[in-house]
Amino acid sequence: MSAHIVIVGGGITGLAAAYRLATDPRARECGVTCTLIEQEPRLGGKLLTERIDGCLIENGPDSFLSTKPWAAELCRALGLGDRLIGTMPGRAVFVASRGQLHPLPEGLMFGVPTRFGPMLRTRLLAPLEKLRMGWDLVLPRRRTSGDETIGGFLRRRLGDAVVSRLAGPLLGGIYAGDADALSLRATFPQLLEWETSYRSLMFAAMARRRTLRRSGTRRTGAGSANPGSPSSLFLSLVGGLGELVECLEDSLGASTVMVGRTVTRIARRIEHHRALYTLQTDDGRILVADALLLATPAYVTAGLLAPLAPSVASTLRQIPYVSTAAVTLAYRRETVGHPLEGHGFVVARDEPLNITACTWVSSKWPHRAPSDVALLRCYLGAAGREAVVDRDDAALVDLARADLRTTMGIDAAPAFTTVARWIKAMPQYPSGHLARLDTIDEGMRALPGIALAGAGYRGIGIPDCIRQGTEAATRLIDTLVSSEAHLPTTADVI
C-alpha cells in the first residue's frame, strides 16, 4: 500500500502536519508520502525572525503560551527543549490611558482580578468604576443561552471601564480585534465556564489562583517568571521562533517541499471506489493525492473548494480577516529617558493613539539586543483600524515615533527601524463563529480525504495551530490506514 498526501500552506499549521506525517510510524509502514506546497518563497508563515546589528527581531509573533502545551512539546520533540526561554522576571505590563502609562494591576487572570488590594489601589479605574466591577460578586448568572461577545459578557459582569481599559485591550488585542465583536465561546470559553460554575468571575479567578499556587505554577496577567522557567506564561526560543521553523523544515525527511508555488485548481475523481484529488499549480504541474490538508487562510481555502463544495466555500468566506503591521525601532539606550522597567504596554480602546500596543523587547526577553540598545516594537492595525496599514513604511514609522513621544517621552531618532505588514493575516472569531464551523464541518463530509486546519478555525495562536495541524494529519493517516483498499499512485507528480 502507498498513499500520497498533499499539504497546501507552509505556515506553522502545515509544517506541524508535515512533521507528523514524516514521523508517524503508521505513515512510514503504509508508505505514505507527503508534498508540502507554499505560495511564499519561504516556509513559516508569520513566524519570521531576522537579525540586524546584533538585535533579534520577530516580525510576527514573539512567543507562545505555555498553558497550551502543543508548541513546547513540539520544541522538545525537535530537540529544542534546552532552547526554550521565558520572559524576564519581575516586570510589569502597562496600560496607556488618559495620557499616561498605568501599571496593570497585579493578579489579573484573563483580565479578571484575583486580588482586591491591587484593584483598589489602581488609578486606571475611578472609584465608581471599581464599585461597578464589584457588582460581579452579587450579580446572578446569565439566564439565556447562545453566544455572546467578549465585550458584552465583561460589560455585563464587570462594567464598561473594564472593557475599555483592562480586559478589552488585553483579550481583544490577542486577536487584533474588537472585544465587542469577538465571540466569547470561540475565544475565551473559560470565562463562560467560570460564570457557569462559580457565578462570580472574581470568585472563579480567586479559586483558580489558589489552585495554581498549590500546584506551584502560579501565573498572573503580567506573565512574568524566571527565563526558561516552566512557570513562565510566555515562552520563546533563544534564537527566536525562526528556530522552530528551521528545525521543522530539517525534520521533513523525504517529504517534497515546493515553495514559491500556488495551487490554482483542485479537482476530484473516483477510481476503484475511492476518491483521488488532482491539484494544478501555477507552473503547470499536476499532483495526484489520496488526501489533502488545506492549511491556508479561510478565504484562500474558499477559492480552492468553490468548484467542489460551493456552500462550504461561501461559509468560509464569512470568516473575516484583518490586516496589521509591526514597526520595530532600535534606539541607543542613553537616548531613551524612560526606565523601560516592564514588558511594554497596551492601549485603551478610547485612547487617541495610532498604535495598539508596544513591546519593550530588550526588557521583555533576555539577549534580544546589545546592552546599550533599547529595542521596541509597536503594533498598528486592528479590526476597525486597518486603514493605517495602507500607509507607506516611512509614515508608519512616523506614527509609531509620535505615539512613543506621547506615551514615553522618546524624542530621539532611532538607530534603525523595520516594518512588517501582515495583510488579511489575523482571522476574527465574531459571535456565532462556532456555529459557522459546524456548518463547514457538515459540508466537508461530502469530501472525504480533505481536512482543513489553521488559525481561521479553532485557535489563532501558535500552540493551537500546531495542535490543529497535528490532529488533521493524524485524521488523514487514520482514514488511509482504515480504508479497505489503496491503489498505488502511479505518478505523484506529472
Side-chain angles (χ1 to χ4, degrees):
M1 184 184 74
S2 65
H4 183 216
I5 297 178
V6 174
I7 300 171
V8 184
I12 189 61
T13 306
L15 281 169
Y19 175 76
R20 170 51 63 94
L21 294 177
T23 56
D24 190 295
R26 296 175 306 153
R28 290 197 298 269
E29 291 169 4
C30 296
V32 173
T33 59
C34 171
T35 297
L36 175 62
I37 306 174
E38 167 56 40
Q39 180 177 357
E40 297 298 322
R42 63 171 188 87
L43 299 176
K46 292 190 288 291
L47 274 63
L48 177 57
T49 305
E50 64 177 326
R51 288 187 176 274
I52 300 176
D53 294 345
C55 296
L56 189 150
I57 297 168
E58 296 283 20
N59 290 297
D62 69 351
S63 60
F64 53 82
L65 280 171
S66 63
T67 51
K68 296 185 175 184
W70 306 286
E73 288 175 352
L74 179 58
C75 288
R76 295 186 181 101
L78 291 166
L80 294 172
D82 59 352
R83 305 282 291 174
L84 289 169
I85 58 171
T87 53
M88 296 289 283
R91 304 295 176 93
V93 175
F94 295 82
V95 179
S97 176
R98 291 168 292 186
Q100 297 183 40
L101 292 183
H102 301 269
L104 197 68
E106 293 181 3
L108 289 184
M109 190 176 294
F110 296 113
V112 179
T114 64
R115 297 162 57 189
F116 291 120
M119 289 306 304
L120 292 173
R121 291 189 294 270
T122 183
R123 296 184 179 182
L124 266 171
L125 303 179
L128 288 179
E129 292 168 337
K130 296 174 185 178
L131 182 62
R132 171 61 184 90
M133 175 183 277
W135 286 6
D136 169 75
L137 299 172
V138 297
L139 285 175
R141 297 177 179 87
R142 184 188 183 198
R143 296 184 181 277
T144 58
S145 59
D147 205 356
E148 191 174 8
T149 68
I150 301 172
F153 176 81
L154 293 174
R155 289 180 199 281
R156 176 169 59 82
R157 297 298 322 181
L158 302 170
D160 292 343
V162 170
V163 176
S164 176
R165 290 178 232 133
L166 282 178
L170 288 172
L171 303 186
I174 294 172
Y175 290 82
D178 181 354
D180 287 313
L182 293 171
S183 162
L184 176 68
R185 292 181 182 273
T187 55
F188 296 98
Q190 304 94 326
L191 293 174
L192 183 60
E193 293 170 6
W194 285 4
E195 183 184 41
T196 301
S197 300
Y198 290 86
R199 181 182 56 76
S200 163
L201 297 187
M202 286 194 277
F203 284 156
M206 291 173 188
R208 179 61 176 158
R209 177 172 177 262
R210 287 193 296 270
T211 299
L212 291 175
R213 290 186 67 180
R214 285 195 295 269
S215 67
T217 57
R218 177 183 175 191
R219 296 179 177 91
T220 66
S224 59
N226 293 325
S229 167
S231 64
S232 179
L233 182 60
F234 299 102
L235 295 175
S236 185
L237 292 162
V238 173
L241 295 178
E243 282 194 60
L244 176 57
V245 175
E246 293 169 2
C247 281
L248 282 170
E249 189 170 1
D250 291 343
S251 71
L252 297 185
S255 302
T256 300
V257 177
M258 299 168 58
V259 295
R261 295 271 70 91
T262 302
V263 175
T264 58
R265 182 175 178 270
I266 297 175
R268 181 174 182 252
R269 69 175 189 262
I270 304 297
E271 286 189 5
H272 303 282
H273 307 291
R274 69 187 181 117
L276 287 178
Y277 295 95
T278 303
L279 298 86
Q280 183 172 340
T281 61
D282 56 350
D283 61 348
R285 275 189 278 188
I286 303 296
L287 289 80
V288 178
D290 299 88
L292 297 177
L293 170 57
L294 302 181
T296 46
Y299 54 89
V300 175
T301 302
L304 294 173
L305 289 180
L308 302 176
S311 63
V312 171
S314 176
T315 307
L316 285 166
R317 291 191 181 100
Q318 296 173 29
I319 299 175
Y321 282 70
V322 302
S323 301
T324 61
V327 178
T328 300
L329 308 99
Y331 294 91
R332 295 192 307 277
R333 186 63 183 90
E334 66 269 15
T335 66
V336 177
H338 195 280
L340 298 178
E341 294 177 352
H343 289 165
F345 63 89
V346 295
V347 178
R349 187 73 180 182
D350 55 0
E351 194 71 4
L353 297 175
N354 288 288
I355 65 174
T356 60
C358 176
T359 298
W360 301 340
V361 179
S362 48
S363 297
K364 181 179 179 180
W365 299 103
H367 314 303
R368 291 293 161 99
S371 59
D372 60 347
V373 172
L375 191 64
L376 312 180
R377 185 166 77 152
C378 296
Y379 305 84
L380 298 98
R385 305 173 67 176
E386 293 183 81
V388 67
V389 180
D390 294 332
R391 303 194 186 189
D392 62 28
D393 287 4
L396 292 182
V397 170
D398 287 344
L399 291 175
R401 290 187 61 191
D403 285 354
L404 293 180
R405 187 179 305 114
T406 298
T407 54
M408 300 173 62
I410 301 176
D411 276 320
F416 70 82
T417 63
T418 68
V419 176
R421 282 181 179 76
W422 300 104
I423 305 302
K424 292 185 68 176
M426 287 294 291
Q428 304 293 288
Y429 295 176
S431 184
H433 179 74
L434 295 183
R436 185 172 291 124
L437 295 186
D438 288 341
T439 300
I440 293 169
D441 290 344
E442 181 66 27
M444 289 302 296
R445 291 179 182 175
L447 295 174
I450 299 184
L452 310 182
Y457 305 112
R458 291 181 169 84
I460 67 168
I462 294 171
D464 282 314
C465 288
I466 290 171
R467 172 185 54 79
Q468 291 180 71
T470 302
E471 290 176 352
T474 301
R475 289 195 303 272
L476 293 179
I477 295 170
D478 291 342
T479 299
L480 293 173
V481 169
S482 62
S483 297
E484 292 183 1
H486 293 274
L487 296 179
T489 302
T490 57
D492 288 336
V493 179
I494 301 175

